[in-house]
Amino acid sequence: MPIGRVGLVVHGGRAEAVDGARIVRDWCARHGIGCVDIDVWHGHGSRHSPSEEVQAAGSPDLIVTLGGDGTFLRGARIAAQKDIRVLGVDVGKVGFLTETPVGDVERALDAVHAGKSECEERMTLTMRASRLLEMPSQVEEVLCYGRGPALPPPQPQTGPAEDDPWGIALDVTALNDIVVEKLARDHQVSVGVYFAGRLLASYSADGVILATPTGSTAYSFAAGGPVLSPRMRAVVFTPVAPHMAFNRTVIANADEPVALRVLPHSGRAAVSVDGQPRGILEPRDWIGVIAAPRPLRLVRLTPANFYGRLRERMRLTDAPATAADGEAAPMFRPASPVPDDLRHYQLPPAP
């Protein structure tokens, strides 16, 4: 589908991102396409909600982000509201989400406009809660020190019903993770963790992470969790520094809801979505994390090479005792036709 309107999310602190944004604006002007900067900051001391951001942008059909993964996550939060495609232009250092170099941005826009690009779908998470989340001003000052104001607490998708045992469906989209973590340095958070309505265990920990496969290379990975293919649909539960013998990650299927209840003796807990503080949980509060109904659609010029990117970004090296493998990768893509029993597998394109 040709591009009708472009929204720009730019990391203004990086000269390369600012230069790339200028290239996008010039390309849009040459093609008679509307282009609007999406300002995730609003005035002084406040921020737009995702719904307000997409409305202010005039509902573009392509969002271009220029920066690292943090900038991309800002654009993704907006795009998920209206099923908008996202093109991530990479000027970061360790990112997994942005793959188009700044030098290729015009070629990427040409391909999208001509219908010659692909869309890769990524699972996202959403959330229900026992009550509407709040962010006390004194807590926001601590959680967001040096980062500017927090996003507004998430609003209900429909009218709030505090007494509904299913909780309140919140306007939340997480591409990477939803995290519940302690507020006080000397008081861990204690949570009961439920998979598909059944108690797994009660944890006393610095925090717990619920991640998507995309987010498995983010905070969950740093906390010792596994790396999952971003093509999967699963919810990755990883505890952070738990005070118990069982400290392993548990992976749930995407259709299995995961609930976290803050136990009565616990300290208060902070809820973050993709690294953004969004509210505070008191003892006896709970949240439920589920797969969102709509995936995020990432623009790709070529088929994704997640494992090559993993090797590059994590600087993986081969065991010293092994000899370099100079042969072609097994089952990579020989020149001969694909056998019938392999046609349904994800294989790279023919050379």
Side-chain angles (χ1 to χ4, degrees):
M1 182 174 65
I3 302 171
R5 186 176 178 83
V6 171
L8 275 177
V9 180
V10 185
H11 191 308
R14 295 188 176 179
E16 194 175 7
V18 173
D19 292 342
R22 191 177 302 113
I23 294 173
V24 175
R25 295 188 192 98
D26 291 345
W27 183 92
C28 289
R30 291 198 306 272
H31 290 79
I33 293 170
C35 182
V36 60
D37 283 87
I38 301 174
D39 182 14
V40 296
W41 299 93
H42 177 56
H44 300 283
S46 63
R47 295 183 69 176
H48 283 305
S49 70
S51 297
E52 290 171 335
E53 288 166 351
V54 74
Q55 184 176 1
S59 296
D61 49 22
L62 177 70
I63 290 177
V64 180
T65 71
L66 295 107
D69 278 1
T71 307
F72 182 88
L73 288 170
R74 294 182 187 180
R77 186 179 72 237
I78 302 164
Q81 294 289 318
K82 295 289 184 180
D83 198 27
I84 301 170
R85 294 170 293 174
V86 185
L87 173 64
V89 180
D90 184 19
V91 298
K93 297 178 180 178
V94 196
F96 279 88
L97 300 174
T98 54
E99 294 190 2
T100 301
V102 173
D104 288 345
V105 66
E106 283 193 274
R107 183 172 69 89
L109 291 169
D110 287 337
V112 175
H113 195 49
K116 296 180 179 179
S117 63
E118 298 180 358
C119 270
E120 177 187 346
E121 294 188 346
R122 295 287 183 92
M123 172 188 161
T124 59
L125 298 173
T126 189
M127 185 168 67
R128 301 181 77 94
S130 55
R131 62 175 179 85
L132 291 175
L133 299 182
E134 299 174 350
M135 180 69 78
S137 58
Q138 67 272 23
V139 175
E140 180 180 347
E141 291 176 3
V142 174
L143 290 180
C144 301
Y145 180 77
R147 301 173 53 183
L151 281 167
Q155 297 301 302
Q157 292 184 12
T158 57
E162 297 278 356
D163 58 346
D164 189 338
W166 290 100
I168 302 169
L170 298 179
D171 185 14
V172 165
T173 301
L175 178 61
N176 269 352
D177 49 43
I178 294 173
V179 178
V180 173
E181 54 195 336
K182 68 179 185 180
L183 274 178
R185 183 180 179 86
D186 62 345
H187 201 157
Q188 290 196 312
V189 64
S190 296
V191 293
V193 181
Y194 298 79
F195 283 80
R198 304 291 184 180
L199 176 67
L200 172 71
S202 294
Y203 287 78
S204 179
D206 284 358
V208 293
I209 305 165
L210 292 169
T212 63
T214 296
S216 69
T217 54
Y219 189 10
S220 176
F221 176 83
V227 174
L228 273 66
S229 165
R231 293 170 48 84
M232 294 178 64
R233 286 181 51 80
V235 181
V236 184
F237 168 78
T238 303
V240 182
H243 277 215
M244 57 191 297
F246 185 74
N247 61 354
R248 303 302 179 88
T249 291
V250 177
I251 301 174
N253 197 49
D255 63 358
E256 296 176 314
V258 183
L260 307 174
R261 186 195 304 277
V262 182
L263 300 180
H265 61 277
S266 173
R268 302 165 85 192
V271 179
S272 297
V273 179
D274 283 345
Q276 298 284 330
R278 301 303 301 275
I280 299 300
L281 296 178
E282 303 286 350
R284 293 187 172 86
D285 287 342
W286 61 263
I287 63 169
V289 177
I290 53 179
R294 292 193 304 268
L296 183 72
R297 297 195 298 149
L298 309 186
V299 173
R300 292 280 185 256
L301 300 186
T302 58
N305 180 16
F306 170 72
Y307 300 102
R309 198 167 184 80
L310 179 67
R311 179 179 175 88
E312 170 195 340
R313 292 302 196 188
M314 296 300 179
R315 295 183 173 89
L316 299 183
T317 56
D318 303 314
T322 63
D325 188 355
E327 299 182 17
M331 293 183 63
F332 182 72
R333 191 61 189 254
S336 58
V338 178
D340 290 340
D341 63 322
L342 297 179
R343 290 185 186 279
H344 61 291
Y345 286 99
Q346 177 73 13
L347 296 172

